[in-house]
Amino acid sequence: MEDWTLRESLVTGSGTVRWDRLGDAGGEPVVLLHGTPFSSYVWHEVAPALAAAGYRVHVWDMAGYGSSGMHAGQDVSLGAQGRIFAELLAHWGLREPAVVAHDFGGCVALRAHLLHGARYRRLALVDPVALKPWGSPFFRLVGEQSRVFEQLPAALHEALVREYVSSASHLGLRPAVLDALVGPWTGEEGQGAFYRQIAQADQRYTDEIQPLYPTIDLTVTVCWGTEDSWIPFARGQELAALIPGARLVPVPQAGHLVPLDAPARLTGELLTFLMA
């Protein structure tokens, strides 16, 4: 993964979660959350840049994702991830960090804050899964037929994952980056984990918190790729309107994978957000 390695771990009710920290220990804490079907690797350009700017950057792979543990029967739902994130913050001793969350990570961060008492200094949501309805026709089909898809030949499965992950980028992913994103989902263990996380993706986890968005009392920035084909930019406008005082930041020429399509632009926006 181009030297992207998470060196620490925490055993949770959903298995072992891998995590790491970058930057000076005295820097203000920033936590980055990834989405699905990705891993903390989506931040491999943004995280070092934030660390170089003086922040103490925390990254982690959600249970069942990336380098974290994967096993049959594992609870990798958004409900479980929200609880795990609150547990991680306590493990790290972070009382009010700044949080930056992409895709499913947005729902995880929102659930941890709204349902599990996690406190943030400020929150940036990057093309988050936060409003109904969500899930592409492909996503819903796989969720309904996950046991069938789990039986695909390995080569066909990998080709499917590559095409799916590639579609999240507007500019196109470099081969090494695509390999790093797809790699955890290959092999018998990874293939099962890929369909498991889709099968457990239930809209009720956002339905439970969506009515609470007007109660959020934080500095919130919503960044959105204007060319996002997974979740349209209009959804970002809707979300920003629901959260009091939220600022909407369009990211031109970026698809759903804003941290990889426009890392420099996003880093600049995040630094402005963090220093405001």
Side-chain angles (χ1 to χ4, degrees):
M1 282 197 183
E2 294 186 343
D3 298 325
W4 184 259
T5 303
L6 304 186
R7 298 166 294 180
E8 306 291 342
S9 63
L10 176 68
V11 177
T12 76
S14 286
T16 300
V17 167
R18 303 291 300 182
W19 63 271
D20 210 336
R21 288 184 283 227
L22 296 79
D24 187 85
E28 291 187 25
V30 179
V31 184
L32 307 180
L33 288 82
H34 68 83
T36 186
F38 312 115
S39 68
S40 60
Y41 181 76
V42 299
W43 299 111
H44 78 278
E45 293 184 75
V46 174
L50 294 179
Y55 293 95
R56 182 65 156 169
V57 183
H58 297 66
V59 293
W60 64 295
D61 286 347
M62 291 193 292
Y65 290 73
S67 59
S68 289
M70 303 175 178
H71 62 264
Q74 186 176 21
D75 184 357
V76 295
S77 67
L78 286 166
Q81 308 292 0
R83 292 190 297 271
I84 291 169
F85 183 48
E87 184 179 346
L88 261 177
L89 291 176
H91 178 70
W92 292 332
L94 301 182
R95 295 187 178 182
E96 289 191 353
V99 172
V100 181
H102 175 244
D103 185 78
F104 261 31
C107 178
V108 171
L110 287 164
R111 287 183 65 87
H113 176 64
L114 293 169
L115 302 182
H116 303 298
R119 300 177 62 183
Y120 312 143
R121 183 171 64 88
R122 55 189 63 226
L123 173 65
L125 299 168
V126 183
D127 295 62
V129 172
L131 300 175
K132 63 180 179 182
W134 50 264
S136 67
F138 166 79
F139 195 88
R140 291 193 292 270
L141 173 64
V142 173
E144 294 166 359
Q145 304 293 335
S146 60
R147 292 187 178 181
V148 175
F149 280 90
E150 285 177 13
Q151 299 174 50
L152 286 175
L156 185 56
H157 161 73
E158 182 173 343
L160 182 152
V161 177
R162 283 182 174 276
E163 180 62 27
Y164 182 51
V165 170
S166 295
S167 71
S169 168
H170 175 64
L171 298 177
L173 300 170
R174 290 184 290 110
V177 171
L178 181 58
D179 287 346
L181 293 174
V182 172
W185 303 120
T186 59
E188 183 177 352
E189 186 178 74
Q191 182 166 341
F194 179 79
Y195 297 112
R196 186 180 307 120
Q197 48 95 15
I198 295 178
Q200 294 183 29
D202 193 320
Q203 186 177 288
R204 69 184 175 90
Y205 293 113
T206 53
D207 289 347
E208 288 173 354
I209 57 174
Q210 186 169 333
L212 302 177
Y213 296 163
T215 71
I216 294 175
D217 185 20
L218 289 172
T219 299
V220 176
T221 289
V222 178
C223 297
W224 215 285
T226 58
E227 308 303 320
D228 189 337
S229 62
W230 282 22
I231 312 176
F233 178 71
R235 201 62 61 82
Q237 295 172 309
E238 182 183 352
L239 177 62
L242 287 174
I243 300 174
R247 184 173 68 104
L248 176 64
V249 178
V251 184
Q253 296 301 306
H256 188 67
L257 275 172
V258 176
L260 296 175
D261 276 357
R265 175 66 181 269
L266 180 60
T267 298
E269 295 292 352
L270 292 178
L271 288 173
T272 297
F273 152 79
L274 291 168
M275 293 186 292

